[in-house]
Amino acid sequence: MTDPRTPPSPTVGRETSGQPAAASANSAEHPWPVRSVAIKVAQWIDRLGSIWVEGQITQINLRPGTRTAFLVLRDPSADMSLSVTCDPDLIRDSPVPLHEGSRVVVYGKLSFFTGRGTISLRILEIRPVGIGELLARIERLKALLAAEGLFDPRLKRPLPFLPGTIGLITGRSSAAERDVLSVARNRWPAVRFEIRNTAVQGPTAVPQMLAALAELDRHPAVEVIVLARGGGSVEDLLPFSDEALCRAIVAATTPIVSAIGHEPDNPLSDFVADLRAATPTDAAKRIVPDAAAELACVRELRGRTAAALRGWVDRETRALTQLRSRPVLADPLREVDRRQEEIERLRRSARRCGEQVIRTETMATTHLREKLTAVGPAATLARGYAVVQRVTGRERVVVRSIEDAPAGSQLRIRVADGAVTAAALGTQALGAKSDGVRGRGSAPHTDTGRN
């Protein structure tokens, strides 16, 4: 068997004209005829050899009495197909009945028909892909996507609380579409939908859903997208486990809800979507809030808020009443009056104390004045004493001894009511036992003074 990955040689033997292929270069002056191109393509395809191909049967043309059956094999993940021919007995003798939509693995050899310029795969063996093998492939793909982190909850985007526009991808006139629309509009009548009807099973399902998903993801008004289908067999749900669709869901910027009503076996879209809903009805309930329930919640919250506010006002009122009932707030000026009376009492006491101190000090001052007056010079002079001063020019010296006033000295004698000018005629010493009232500082004996 020839390895299909081996590229063909650029030189292809000899053509039917008998000339080597490389004998003439291809150019505008030397173009190849159509037969040469067709032969080269046929030879290249022939070098591919026999190959195994997997796909989905989209068309079976098996007419009674014919020796060839015609099929169309399509890639489930891309809009590509291939014409297949086989012996009708391969289809009739298949252990599993083959019909449109069946997944198969075929073995055959490609042929290029030079007359029509078409390619056909002539198959010698057909192997239907059973449920177990499909599930095993899905599990392998699931493990691959999980290893890449596409199931990580941190990648899940939150759904908007009240989406203005919802994108819906589902089958045309399907029960899933009716369920989503009716439930959502009953819960919130103002909700809007952007609906894209696509095939949800069969060979064209994946390409159509990919195109619809890309279109809705680009739509500026769509805030969430719902993939909806009302359940089905494992074969029917195969498009929702397609790798291309799973990667497109992860790559989308709009939150996506997978609403495939098939509980026993979850398609892979349930794991990569931002939210998995059990059924299309459940998706509508989880995406669109219930207007009646929200209004009831608002009323309840308003009632609770009002009750809480009234309770707070009542508590503050009671606290204020208790504060106002206290003596200091019941009669705010009472403390001021009490303090004023205390201040007046203290003022009177301070005045009395001040007056008492003044009287005491006045009396003490009076007594001191009297004492000073009694011992002062004026009182002494009033009792008959005199102060004698010797006058020498402008100087005056108190005479304390007879030596201070020799004979002929000019004297000034101060008495109680004035002063007398005199002259010393002489001095006379007194004995120790004599009258010494005029002690130190007394005037000496003069002819006008007092002895």
Side-chain angles (χ1 to χ4, degrees):
M1 183 182 296
T2 305
D3 188 353
R5 296 175 294 180
T6 305
S9 173
T11 303
V12 186
R14 295 180 179 272
E15 302 183 12
T16 56
S17 62
Q19 300 294 331
S24 59
N26 181 256
S27 64
E29 290 74 15
H30 302 282
W32 287 349
V34 173
R35 66 180 182 276
S36 298
V37 176
I39 291 173
K40 289 179 182 293
V41 172
Q43 292 174 346
W44 191 94
I45 291 177
D46 187 65
R47 290 173 62 87
L48 184 63
S50 298
I51 55 175
W52 290 95
V53 181
E54 180 184 0
Q56 190 171 23
I57 299 175
T58 60
Q59 184 179 347
I60 300 178
N61 190 352
L62 181 61
R63 296 180 181 178
T66 59
R67 301 178 62 181
T68 302
F70 298 90
L71 300 86
V72 176
L73 199 63
R74 188 183 186 92
D75 192 317
S77 301
D79 191 10
M80 298 181 184
S81 60
L82 182 66
S83 297
V84 179
T85 60
C86 67
D87 191 313
D89 291 337
L90 287 178
I91 300 177
R92 296 191 188 99
D93 298 339
S94 174
V96 178
L98 300 178
H99 52 83
E100 294 181 359
S102 299
R103 294 283 292 268
V104 295
V105 176
V106 300
Y107 177 75
K109 189 175 186 298
L110 285 171
S111 299
F112 182 76
F113 296 95
T114 58
R116 300 189 304 271
T118 59
I119 297 177
S120 179
L121 177 65
R122 181 70 180 183
I123 60 175
L124 303 175
E125 185 179 351
I126 301 179
R127 295 182 182 180
V129 178
I131 299 299
E133 186 173 355
L134 289 175
L135 294 177
R137 293 184 181 183
I138 292 175
E139 287 299 321
R140 289 195 293 271
L141 179 59
K142 180 179 179 181
L144 173 63
L145 298 180
E148 294 182 12
L150 301 188
F151 300 162
D152 193 339
R154 292 174 295 183
L155 298 179
K156 308 300 182 183
R157 289 154 296 201
L159 272 62
F161 169 71
L162 180 60
T165 302
I166 300 174
L168 177 61
I169 301 176
T170 186
R172 186 179 302 276
S173 302
S174 61
E177 179 180 358
R178 292 192 299 271
D179 290 345
V180 172
L181 296 180
S182 61
V183 172
R185 287 169 178 166
N186 287 336
R187 292 172 66 85
W188 198 278
V191 68
R192 295 186 299 274
F193 282 90
E194 283 289 335
I195 303 175
R196 299 295 182 267
N197 295 121
T198 64
V200 291
Q201 69 182 56
T204 62
V206 173
Q208 291 183 20
M209 286 192 292
L210 287 175
L213 181 61
E215 180 183 356
L216 292 176
D217 191 36
R218 293 191 302 267
H219 199 294
V222 174
E223 301 180 29
V224 63
I225 301 173
V226 181
L227 284 172
R229 176 188 166 89
S233 63
V234 176
E235 296 90 336
D236 295 338
L237 299 180
L238 284 178
F240 295 95
S241 295
D242 185 82
E243 182 179 1
L245 180 62
C246 292
R247 295 188 181 278
I249 291 174
V250 175
T253 58
T254 307
I256 296 177
V257 178
S258 177
I260 313 302
H262 192 261
E263 287 292 342
D265 300 303
N266 297 332
L268 297 184
S269 62
D270 287 350
F271 297 96
V272 296
D274 298 292
L275 176 66
R276 178 194 176 270
T279 61
T281 301
D282 181 51
K285 291 180 179 180
R286 300 180 69 172
I287 294 174
V288 181
D290 189 355
E294 295 299 325
L295 289 175
C297 181
V298 170
R299 288 193 295 269
E300 180 184 358
L301 291 177
R302 289 181 61 185
R304 292 169 60 184
T305 303
L309 183 59
R310 285 194 296 269
W312 178 80
V313 172
D314 292 341
R315 289 194 301 272
E316 296 300 320
T317 301
R318 289 193 297 270
L320 185 59
T321 302
Q322 292 176 358
L323 290 175
R324 294 181 60 187
S325 63
R326 295 180 180 179
V328 68
L329 293 179
D331 186 6
L333 298 180
R334 176 181 179 181
E335 189 68 17
V336 176
D337 294 341
R338 188 179 67 81
R339 293 295 181 180
Q340 183 177 4
E341 294 175 357
E342 184 177 356
I343 290 172
E344 290 296 331
R345 180 177 59 78
L346 293 175
R347 285 180 60 191
R348 291 192 298 269
S349 177
R351 182 180 294 276
R352 287 194 301 270
C353 291
E355 292 174 351
Q356 180 65 30
V357 170
I358 291 173
R359 285 195 299 269
T360 301
E361 295 302 324
T362 300
M363 293 176 63
T365 303
T366 302
H367 295 161
L368 289 175
R369 184 182 297 114
E370 292 175 352
K371 290 180 179 180
L372 290 175
T373 301
V375 299
T380 302
L381 296 177
R383 292 199 300 270
Y385 288 87
V387 178
V388 180
Q389 296 175 323
R390 187 186 71 219
V391 179
T392 304
R394 302 186 61 178
E395 293 184 0
R396 296 179 181 179
V397 181
V398 177
V399 177
R400 293 182 173 83
S401 174
I402 57 178
E403 286 83 3
D404 295 335
S409 300
Q410 185 179 353
L411 303 176
R412 180 177 180 274
I413 303 171
R414 168 74 183 276
V415 293
D417 57 351
V420 177
T421 302
L425 298 179
T427 59
Q428 181 180 357
L430 299 179
K433 298 288 183 88
S434 62
D435 186 7
V437 175
R438 300 184 185 200
R440 186 177 181 180
S442 60
H445 179 74
T446 62
D447 54 353
T448 57
R450 179 179 297 177
N451 291 330

